[in-house]
Amino acid sequence: VKDGSWTVLQLVEALGSCLENTDPRTRGRGIQLLSQVLLQCYSLLQEKEVLHLVLFYENRLQDHHLVIPSVLQGLHALSMCEVLSPGLAVSVLKAIFQEVHVQSLLQVDRHTVYSIITNFMGTREEELKGLGADFTFGFIQVMDGEKDPRNLLVAFQIVRDLIAKSYALGPFVEELFEVTSCYFPIDFTPPPNDPHGIQREDLILSLRSVLASTPQFAEFLLPLLIEKMDSDLQSAKLDSLQTLTACCAVYGQKELQEFLPSLWSSLRREVFQTASEKVEAECLTALHALSACLSCSVLSSDTEDLLDSFLSSILQDCRHHLCEPDMKLVWPSAKLLQAAARASLRAYHHVTHSVLPLLLEQYTRHSQSSQRRTILEMLLGFLELQQKWGHVEEDESTLLSLRASICSVVFSALTDPNVQLQLVGIRALTVLGSLQGFLSPSDLELVVDHLIRLALHEKDFQSSEAAMEAAGSLAPLYPKVFSGHMVPRLEEELQSEREEDSSHDHCSLQQLAAVSTHTSIVRETVPVLLQHLRKVQKGNPA
């Protein structure tokens, strides 16, 4: 056939007695040979030949079950023909849906059916869509009960394409969901020395991309996810949380509305109770995704904005724990609030409006350094989120209205004898400095004073090093303040005669180097350095 000395139809005639034999095994062998030829020569066929072959094979789908695998091989070859007449793809699929009980076949033959469907979806999309929801229903019957991971990967891809390419699901949305969600969460361990190389993760991701692909599944999927979050199996929890996060990318508040209270209570319970960092991290990611989804849902004039009520319920359940800096729920509560606040500027304003005044009040109420450190670290977490949004807006910002209190808390931490509290204070100072327009000129002068004192006069090495680093990162943002206030002070320190304390000189030089992070400052610091070198040369040669 490849050489052109025989046509495929001549081959069919030559196989005639075999193809019409009364013994199904003999018939099967004849069709098997013909199908093997077609798999190698399908690209050489003429349109008319394809038509005759399709009709012949469709007819054979009603034959003895021993023959069916070879018939499917032939149809697989024909599904790859470019010269397939319009209407034949639909005709083949209808015949398969009607005549073949796919799940009673062997794995390899079921795989052949999936391949035929995949080929036609790739090349005959409009024709198949002409079948309407019948095509979806036919596929549901083909897939129902599939157990082999090799076939599931192909079947999941078909469902994904049905949804992504907008095939009609008609009244079969729930059936399509059921036929795929019955595998959730994936419970598959590849056998040792598995030649197919399919991993559990492949199946998890493939199924997730089906379940999270359409808002149409929301009413069935969300209750399932809530149920599996309560599972004792950590893998089921993680899979449910990651799937929820993926869903938030395609859902709007309409899909989430009914389930928000249950979702929040499951997430809160997990974060408050779990011993697993992985589960906690996935819960926080999912909460962030929910908050982000509600933040960017488009609302009509008569719909309630669910973001506000959702954040209010989070605040109601978490806020009071922030008043207990020694208790175990303080950090889980802070993390939950920060995850929700990080989702959008609107969410951030809602949460910080309630939380920041509370934290500042708690800081002044507690006198122990360890408690103050916990409170300041929480405050720092919220300040760092503001960095994400950049410039502090005058009208909406809780931050600006609390500027004096925040600065006073941070400055008091810098003068505290407790080194760990000082270090958090220095980090907070760096963040405040990075918020454009937040610190007033007088605040900035105080900042410089504190940094010099910590860098040069603080006994603890950690604090002085952190202060130098902070000065280095703030100097390029405020070059005038640093060259006008810090450089002259460092110059004074170097000039003061302290022969007995060369380590102090060393600190001043290090600090001078640390702030040389902007051209205009370097112009000021290099002459000071040269002057100091001359002085040292004249003095002790060592």
Side-chain angles (χ1 to χ4, degrees):
V1 173
K2 278 183 176 173
D3 295 344
S5 49
W6 274 55
T7 67
V8 170
L9 294 182
Q10 284 174 311
L11 175 64
V12 174
E13 277 174 44
L15 284 169
S17 59
C18 187
L19 297 176
E20 287 162 9
N21 196 293
T22 51
D23 175 27
R25 281 183 179 74
T26 309
R27 282 204 306 283
R29 277 204 295 278
I31 293 176
Q32 185 180 17
L33 176 61
L34 179 58
S35 296
Q36 284 170 340
V37 171
L38 288 178
L39 280 166
Q40 291 201 42
C41 304
Y42 65 85
S43 60
L44 307 173
L45 296 174
Q46 304 298 312
E47 187 171 345
K48 200 170 180 186
E49 292 175 309
V50 175
L51 175 63
H52 286 301
L53 287 163
V54 166
L55 296 175
F56 166 73
Y57 272 105
E58 275 183 14
N59 197 10
R60 290 302 168 142
L61 283 173
Q62 300 170 5
D63 204 333
H64 193 280
H65 70 89
L66 289 173
V67 177
I68 298 299
S70 301
V71 176
L72 292 171
Q73 284 295 334
L75 287 170
H76 182 219
L78 294 169
S79 74
M80 295 186 278
C81 289
E82 287 180 19
V83 292
L84 198 72
S85 306
L88 287 184
V90 167
S91 165
V92 167
L93 289 180
K94 274 184 168 173
I96 291 174
F97 294 159
Q98 204 169 333
E99 304 296 345
V100 185
H101 183 257
V102 176
Q103 287 305 319
S104 63
L105 301 172
L106 293 174
Q107 180 272 327
V108 64
D109 302 321
R110 301 197 304 275
H111 195 279
T112 303
V113 175
Y114 295 126
S115 300
I116 294 169
I117 295 172
T118 303
N119 289 344
F120 284 148
M121 284 178 79
T123 57
R124 311 279 155 170
E125 186 178 319
E126 290 312 313
E127 285 182 42
L128 301 194
K129 283 182 175 174
L131 272 171
D134 289 350
F135 176 55
T136 304
F137 181 64
F139 174 71
I140 290 169
Q141 289 181 303
V142 165
M143 183 187 170
D144 195 4
E146 182 56 69
K147 289 193 171 53
D148 190 280
R150 291 163 288 182
N151 289 352
L152 283 173
L153 281 179
V154 189
F156 291 156
Q157 180 62 54
I158 292 172
V159 180
R160 215 159 54 237
D161 288 342
L162 280 174
I163 292 164
K165 294 180 177 169
S166 308
Y167 281 78
L169 307 185
F172 304 117
V173 174
E174 188 170 1
E175 283 82 351
L176 188 62
F177 173 76
E178 293 294 341
V179 86
T180 47
S181 65
C182 61
Y183 302 100
F184 183 86
I186 293 285
D187 178 25
F188 166 69
T189 309
N193 312 320
D194 176 25
H196 310 294
I198 292 177
Q199 296 302 313
R200 183 164 168 270
E201 191 66 11
D202 301 331
L203 286 164
I204 287 175
L205 293 175
S206 188
L207 175 58
R208 183 177 304 151
S209 68
V210 169
L211 296 178
S213 62
T214 171
Q216 289 176 278
F217 284 166
E219 59 179 306
F220 316 113
L221 177 59
L222 290 171
L224 176 66
L225 295 180
I226 291 165
E227 178 198 327
K228 299 299 179 187
M229 275 186 226
D230 297 353
S231 160
D232 295 334
L233 279 175
Q234 181 171 318
S235 59
K237 281 188 201 294
L238 291 171
D239 200 353
S240 303
L241 291 163
Q242 287 164 348
T243 305
L244 173 61
T245 301
C247 288
C248 288
V250 293
Y251 289 2
Q253 72 168 29
K254 180 163 73 80
E255 286 77 29
L256 293 171
Q257 181 160 13
E258 185 189 334
F259 304 100
L260 282 173
S262 310
L263 287 166
W264 163 238
S265 98
S266 293
L267 292 171
R268 182 192 63 212
R269 189 194 59 246
E270 285 305 322
V271 173
F272 281 175
Q273 294 177 5
T274 187
S276 155
E277 284 182 19
K278 269 187 186 168
V279 172
E280 181 188 90
E282 290 300 344
C283 283
L284 296 175
T285 304
L287 180 62
H288 173 255
L290 281 170
S291 182
C293 176
L294 295 175
S295 296
C296 46
S297 286
V298 178
L299 308 179
S300 56
S301 55
D302 55 345
T303 45
E304 178 201 352
D305 179 8
L306 291 181
L307 179 67
D308 281 347
S309 52
F310 183 59
L311 293 174
S312 297
S313 56
I314 296 175
L315 282 162
Q316 189 183 338
D317 291 340
C318 294
R319 196 174 177 271
H320 58 279
H321 292 302
L322 304 184
C323 304
E324 305 155 354
D326 289 340
M327 309 303 278
K328 69 184 179 90
L329 291 182
V330 66
W331 271 115
S333 299
K335 286 177 186 173
L336 285 164
L337 287 164
Q338 284 166 9
R342 199 172 64 242
S344 67
L345 190 53
R346 202 151 61 93
Y348 177 76
H349 285 318
H350 186 119
V351 174
T352 52
H353 182 72
S354 169
V355 169
L356 291 186
L358 178 75
L359 290 175
L360 293 166
E361 181 197 324
Q362 291 302 310
Y363 186 91
T364 45
R365 184 175 289 179
H366 290 89
S367 53
Q368 279 185 0
S369 295
S370 60
Q371 292 171 326
R372 286 187 150 193
R373 178 187 161 199
T374 302
I375 296 164
L376 188 57
E377 280 188 321
M378 287 191 281
L379 186 67
L380 175 62
F382 286 103
L383 294 175
E384 283 171 337
L385 292 185
Q386 174 70 51
Q387 271 183 310
K388 181 180 173 183
W389 310 115
H391 189 66
V392 185
E393 292 295 337
E394 290 282 344
D395 52 345
E396 297 188 304
S397 175
T398 311
L399 271 188
L400 282 181
S401 62
L402 297 170
R403 172 160 51 196
S405 313
I406 292 173
C407 287
S408 131
V409 160
V410 172
F411 291 152
S412 85
L414 297 177
T415 52
D416 196 277
N418 181 294
V419 172
Q420 294 309 314
L421 180 54
Q422 277 180 22
L423 290 172
V424 183
I426 293 169
R427 279 165 55 209
L429 193 66
T430 312
V431 173
L432 291 180
S434 71
L435 299 175
Q436 195 188 342
F438 185 79
L439 294 172
S440 68
S442 57
D443 290 334
L444 282 168
E445 287 180 25
L446 262 176
V447 167
V448 169
D449 290 344
H450 280 297
L451 290 176
I452 291 175
R453 178 182 55 76
L454 288 164
L456 303 185
H457 306 291
E458 178 54 54
K459 301 271 188 300
D460 186 84
F461 170 71
Q462 276 178 297
S463 286
S464 63
E465 182 134 293
M468 285 189 199
E469 215 171 288
S473 63
L474 292 175
L477 303 176
Y478 307 100
K480 279 187 178 167
V481 179
F482 277 80
S483 55
H485 289 275
M486 186 172 259
V487 177
R489 292 276 300 280
L490 292 171
E491 191 174 0
E492 274 171 38
E493 294 283 344
L494 281 170
Q495 283 171 351
S496 60
E497 290 296 322
R498 291 196 183 195
E499 294 301 328
E500 76 288 349
D501 188 3
S502 63
S503 69
H504 183 80
D505 274 5
H506 181 63
C507 268
S508 302
L509 286 171
Q510 272 189 312
Q511 181 62 24
L512 209 56
V515 294
S516 298
T517 47
H518 187 275
T519 329
S520 65
I521 302 176
V522 177
R523 288 202 186 97
E524 308 288 331
T525 53
V526 170
V528 176
L529 177 62
L530 289 171
Q531 193 184 356
H532 182 69
L533 283 171
R534 289 193 196 98
K535 186 181 103 179
V536 173
Q537 273 183 321
K538 285 178 195 159
N540 182 347

